[in-house]
Amino acid sequence: MIPAPTARQPSASPGVVLLLLVLSAFPSDLAAQDLAIKRQVPQGESQRCSVGLLQLPAPASEDAAEARRLAGLASQAGILGDLEEARELLVRASGLDPTDARVAYLLGRNLEETGDGPGAARQYCRYLELDPQAADAVEVRAAIERLAAPAAPAVPERAVLAFEQGISSWDDLRMADAEAAFTAALREAPTWAAPWFNRGVARRGQGRSAEAAEDFVRYLELESAAADVRDVLGVILAMREPPPRGPSAGVAFFAGLIPGVGHFYTGRPVLGTVVLATAAGAAATGLLMKERTVECLSRPSNGDVCPSGQVADESVERPYLLPGLGVAAAVTLIGAIHAARGAAGSVDFDAGDGRVAATLQILPLDFETRGGDVRLSWLRLRF
């Protein structure tokens, strides 16, 4: 059966909110899409029924017989004035044998008598589909014209004009004007889904993600069966996720004061290993390279080795300790600066109340000599 179309009224769907909550826990397969604005203006819907398009399988013989029996009982109930009982019997009969034109006609008459005009018109349409050459086809068509729900009205003209103005502004890249025009369209037609969607696109284009997400949610409430539901959900979830943050320059610098750790933090383990190995090698060289001085009571008879009983004094010095530690410190400091520069050009420190108290900026290395002083510039700290 092909029922007659009826006026379509979009309604809010609380399930959209629940769907967002569920999908937000599993957002991995949803990607933000580039949404194109909608341009089509809906027209009024016809309420005329089509005839001769019905293709239904023949029911089983026992079902057809039971349907005829129930139709007879329904006729008797109708004669006795029990229209509710008759309707229940006819609905059961229609389910058993949807190809029975008589059942469709009787159900239409019952619905007409109980005040359900659109429902009666649908059953009369079904009757004509099942029996296009019925003797009373002219009278039945007249009843359909009288009982069918009126055609869905087109969108108000003022809303259409505002909608088209919004599209024109969007095409000219005037997003603020487009948003204002779509808002005007919504004032005239608040249940028209397309302006909600388009205003969300315009707001998203202006970087106003929270407001855009509200418009997209409203669009999904009005068009819960739209073909682009998944794409719109992906955009909503993407806008509600905080933007990914890269490594902090401040953390990289202070972590880099431990040789190589800053580079490991910023995802450059090879450089971190080089810095660590160089600093450790320089420090180890300074600590391990020693010079031993021995004062012997008598001249050694077997070369340069003083017998243990003749040692008057012995001292050990590390002549490369300070240079080695200096090189290790310099390598560590330069590595920390390099790690910070690789993370970001500057870093903000939060004062705890949400306001920025200081900004640390990593500068290119700059040497300056004044008199006998040498100045090294590589950081700028602003309060």
Side-chain angles (χ1 to χ4, degrees), residues 92-160:
R92 290 171 55 193
S94 180
L96 289 171
D97 185 3
T99 66
D100 193 321
R102 177 171 175 266
V103 171
Y105 178 81
L106 291 175
L107 184 54
R109 285 286 303 273
N110 180 279
L111 293 172
E112 181 180 358
E113 292 176 0
T114 56
D116 186 358
R122 288 193 295 271
Q123 292 302 321
Y124 286 149
C125 282
R126 181 165 162 261
Y127 168 66
L128 292 180
E129 290 179 77
L130 294 168
D131 190 2
Q133 306 301 323
D136 56 353
V138 175
E139 292 81 0
V140 173
R141 289 192 181 94
I144 293 172
E145 293 287 340
R146 174 172 46 85
L147 297 171
V155 173
E157 183 178 357
R158 293 176 62 180
V160 173

Side-chain angles (χ1 to χ4, degrees), residues 290-313:
K290 304 175 183 179
E291 288 187 358
R292 183 167 175 262
T293 302
V294 177
E295 293 185 8
C296 196
L297 296 175
S298 60
R299 182 180 296 274
S301 59
N302 56 345
D304 295 333
V305 179
C306 181
S308 58
Q310 299 295 316
V311 176
D313 189 19

Side-chain angles (χ1 to χ4, degrees), residues 75-313:
S75 297
Q76 296 176 13
I79 294 173
L80 296 175
D82 192 349
L83 298 180
E84 183 176 352
E85 174 67 17
R87 183 171 62 254
E88 292 178 0
L89 291 169
L90 289 170
V91 169
R92 290 171 55 193
S94 180
L96 289 171
D97 185 3
T99 66
D100 193 321
R102 177 171 175 266
V103 171
Y105 178 81
L106 291 175
L107 184 54
R109 285 286 303 273
N110 180 279
L111 293 172
E112 181 180 358
E113 292 176 0
T114 56
D116 186 358
R122 288 193 295 271
Q123 292 302 321
Y124 286 149
C125 282
R126 181 165 162 261
Y127 168 66
L128 292 180
E129 290 179 77
L130 294 168
D131 190 2
Q133 306 301 323
D136 56 353
V138 175
E139 292 81 0
V140 173
R141 289 192 181 94
I144 293 172
E145 293 287 340
R146 174 172 46 85
L147 297 171
V155 173
E157 183 178 357
R158 293 176 62 180
V160 173
L161 292 175
F163 184 78
E164 292 176 345
Q165 181 60 47
I167 293 176
S168 177
S169 297
W170 171 265
D171 291 339
D172 292 338
L173 302 180
R174 293 182 286 113
M175 297 185 186
D177 293 342
E179 177 191 352
F182 293 132
T183 300
L186 289 172
R187 282 196 295 267
E188 301 295 330
T191 58
W192 184 11
W196 288 103
F197 178 92
N198 287 358
R199 192 175 73 170
V201 175
R203 286 178 166 177
R204 183 188 180 206
Q206 298 175 74
R208 293 154 57 191
S209 299
E211 294 171 282
E214 292 176 0
D215 284 347
F216 287 139
V217 168
R218 180 58 178 154
Y219 164 75
L220 292 180
E221 290 175 347
L222 294 170
E223 290 285 349
S224 57
D228 57 355
V229 165
R230 190 171 182 81
D231 292 342
V232 177
L233 284 174
V235 169
I236 295 172
L237 295 177
M239 289 191 299
R240 290 183 173 180
E241 293 177 355
R245 296 184 61 184
S248 165
V251 174
F253 174 75
F254 290 111
L257 296 179
I258 302 175
V261 174
H263 288 93
F264 283 104
Y265 167 70
T266 56
R268 294 173 292 178
V270 174
L271 286 175
T273 303
V274 171
V275 172
L276 176 60
T278 303
T285 300
L287 290 170
L288 297 179
M289 293 189 68
K290 304 175 183 179
E291 288 187 358
R292 183 167 175 262
T293 302
V294 177
E295 293 185 8
C296 196
L297 296 175
S298 60
R299 182 180 296 274
S301 59
N302 56 345
D304 295 333
V305 179
C306 181
S308 58
Q310 299 295 316
V311 176
D313 189 19

Side-chain angles (χ1 to χ4, degrees), residues 32-54:
Q33 305 289 327
D34 289 332
L35 301 178
I37 64 171
K38 300 184 181 299
R39 299 172 180 269
Q40 186 174 0
V41 177
Q43 304 296 326
E45 300 177 6
S46 172
Q47 292 299 314
R48 305 297 182 266
C49 54
S50 301
V51 178
L53 301 178
L54 189 66

